[in-house]
Amino acid sequence: MIVIMKNGAEKEEIQKVIEKLEKVGFSIHLSEGVERTIIGAVGDKSILNELGLEAMGGVERVVAIRHPYKMVSREVKSENTIIKIGNVEIGGSQIQVMAGPCAVESREQLFEVAQMVKDSGATILRGGAFKPRTSPYAFQGLEEEGLKLLAEARERTGLLIVTEVVDPRTIDMVSEYSDILQIGARNMQNFFLLKEVAKANKPVLLKRGLSSTIEEWLMAAEYIYAGGNHNVMFCERGIRTFETTTRNTLDLSAVSMVKQLSHLPVIVDPSHGTGVRSLVQPMSQAAIAAGADGLMIEVHPNPPEALCDGPQSLTPDQFSTLLSSVKDIARAVGRNL
Ligand code: PEP
Ligand code: MN
């Protein structure tokens, strides 16, 4: 069960609700977000009506939840969550596009691509500074130097920055230089990392694990939300199946499903989702038709030379063509871009 407190509820009002619930044996999980506090309570639901919680000061609503994920569920909040970062809104009528290289490789590479994706209509620059690679011999990222370049690109272009955090020890550092913390597919169930980003003062983009079910993905988001960070967005990036022609199988039914089950925004990454450059545009169009709130696309000034994920990276020109083609689809489903 979830008790949603009103925006601006007093500390004493929250405390009174907790005391009442604890007295009759409920165990409490408090989630204090920037805007509102949600009290999760596990215990005997049959006595709920007798408690009269809804009449208590500061209480907005009491909801019994069927799912194991609670705070991220639509049962708790029927309207879409809109994450506001500066003047960018994720989850509203505007589709947001995150674009940039797989990895930050150099000042020239990053600044060139940042300006080009901005000119085409992206609002958020992506680029990994800490790269979780399958091989220990592959390029591992420029680390803090890469983060500094991202922050400089933000200064120059006004684009927001999304970049991956792989280790709880670097959350403060990554937060200092970026606007959205990305949790990569390989870390979706790194629960210690999830609990730490829950304490960070930055929105989180949570990628779907390589072989994770929708429920596991929602539960991972629940860790972050319940830990007090209510600015969480999902990112579908393909899953492992028996198919090997594509790098992963982009699960677009998951996009519509998660939009039905949760109030949080959903982004689609057709670059990792397919691994095939020529599929990135058609899958971007399909993603928007399926209800995605945004796209994450890998773009490189010279894909054959990319240190990471060249075969799925678009040239800036291809990216620009993609965005024009997606605009029409967005309009057809009542969104804009
Ligand atoms: C990435 O976006 O840079 C990345 C590594 O993606 P994923 O975690 O989805 O593999
Ligand atoms: Mn990549």
Side-chain angles (χ1 to χ4, degrees):
M1 187 241 308
I2 298 276
V3 183
I4 303 165
M5 300 302 292
K6 286 183 182 148
N7 230 334
E10 303 286 337
K11 277 227 168 333
E12 299 84 71
E13 292 174 322
I14 297 168
Q15 202 45 44
K16 277 194 184 143
V17 174
I18 293 174
E19 277 164 20
K20 185 157 211 174
L21 285 164
E22 281 181 336
K23 217 169 167 180
V24 290
F26 280 86
S27 61
I28 299 299
H29 187 101
L30 194 60
S31 173
E32 290 177 288
V34 178
E35 284 187 2
R36 65 173 73 214
T37 294
I38 299 175
I39 303 167
V42 180
D44 179 9
K45 276 194 214 109
S46 66
I47 57 167
L48 208 57
N49 286 343
E50 297 157 31
L51 294 176
L53 293 172
E54 242 148 7
M56 292 181 76
V59 173
E60 184 179 298
R61 220 152 35 95
V62 180
V63 199
I65 312 279
R66 285 174 293 130
H67 300 295
Y69 44 90
K70 306 201 179 293
M71 301 183 190
V72 306
S73 162
R74 273 234 190 250
E75 288 182 295
V76 156
K77 185 169 179 274
S78 56
E79 71 278 14
N80 290 332
T81 286
I82 299 179
I83 300 176
K84 297 189 181 75
I85 316 170
N87 50 16
V88 170
E89 289 191 349
I90 302 169
S93 65
Q94 184 80 22
I95 303 288
Q96 299 297 347
V97 181
M98 312 175 177
C102 179
V104 179
E105 298 171 6
S106 68
R107 172 179 294 264
E108 297 68 38
Q109 171 241 22
L110 187 68
F111 291 177
E112 184 181 345
V113 83
Q115 194 55 53
M116 290 178 119
V117 298
K118 178 176 172 147
D119 293 345
S120 299
T123 47
I124 302 167
L125 176 65
R126 63 145 290 143
F130 292 93
K131 294 304 301 173
R133 304 302 299 279
T134 301
S135 165
Y137 309 118
F139 176 59
Q140 303 285 311
L142 296 179
E143 304 192 342
E144 191 166 8
E145 192 194 327
L147 294 173
K148 285 184 178 159
L149 292 174
L150 285 166
E152 218 180 308
R154 171 175 55 189
E155 286 298 305
R156 285 178 170 226
T157 59
L159 291 167
L160 298 175
I161 303 295
V162 56
T163 195
E164 183 163 351
V165 59
V166 293
D167 183 334
R169 291 170 299 184
T170 56
I171 292 175
D172 287 345
M173 187 210 287
V174 177
S175 300
E176 195 187 318
Y177 298 109
S178 66
D179 302 288
I180 303 171
L181 302 176
Q182 177 172 327
I183 298 291
R186 289 154 193 81
N187 272 318
M188 189 205 85
Q189 283 191 315
N190 182 340
F191 299 115
F192 301 96
L193 184 60
L194 300 181
K195 285 187 211 176
E196 292 302 314
V197 293
K199 294 183 216 152
N201 195 16
K202 293 280 170 187
V204 175
L205 178 137
L206 178 66
K207 286 200 149 194
R208 184 176 181 184
L210 306 174
S211 302
S212 296
T213 64
I214 290 172
E215 189 165 298
E216 287 164 343
W217 194 16
L218 290 158
M219 292 306 284
E222 186 82 10
Y223 263 90
I224 304 170
Y225 203 98
N229 190 340
H230 297 179
N231 289 321
V232 185
M233 65 198 95
F234 294 99
C235 180
E236 162 61 36
R237 49 76 71 206
I239 48 172
R240 286 267 167 96
T241 66
F242 55 81
E243 183 54 69
T244 54
T245 306
T246 47
R247 179 177 175 181
N248 290 295
T249 296
L250 186 67
D251 183 5
L252 290 179
S253 65
V255 176
S256 310
M257 192 76 247
V258 172
K259 289 296 295 178
Q260 285 177 29
L261 296 173
S262 174
H263 52 86
L264 296 173
V266 181
I267 308 296
V268 170
D269 171 354
S271 305
H272 294 90
T274 63
V276 181
R277 182 177 303 121
S278 62
L279 296 181
V280 175
Q281 178 173 322
M283 289 304 99
S284 297
Q285 294 176 301
I288 299 307
D293 297 296
L295 297 168
M296 173 177 265
I297 314 271
E298 285 187 342
V299 184
H300 194 282
N302 186 6
E305 299 282 306
L307 295 181
C308 181
D309 287 349
Q312 67 196 35
S313 298
L314 302 187
T315 62
D317 279 351
Q318 288 166 335
F319 175 67
S320 170
T321 307
L322 177 151
L323 281 196
S324 319
S325 78
V326 170
K327 267 193 183 102
D328 296 335
I329 306 285
R331 215 171 296 124
V333 294
R335 311 288 290 266
N336 38 56
L337 191 148

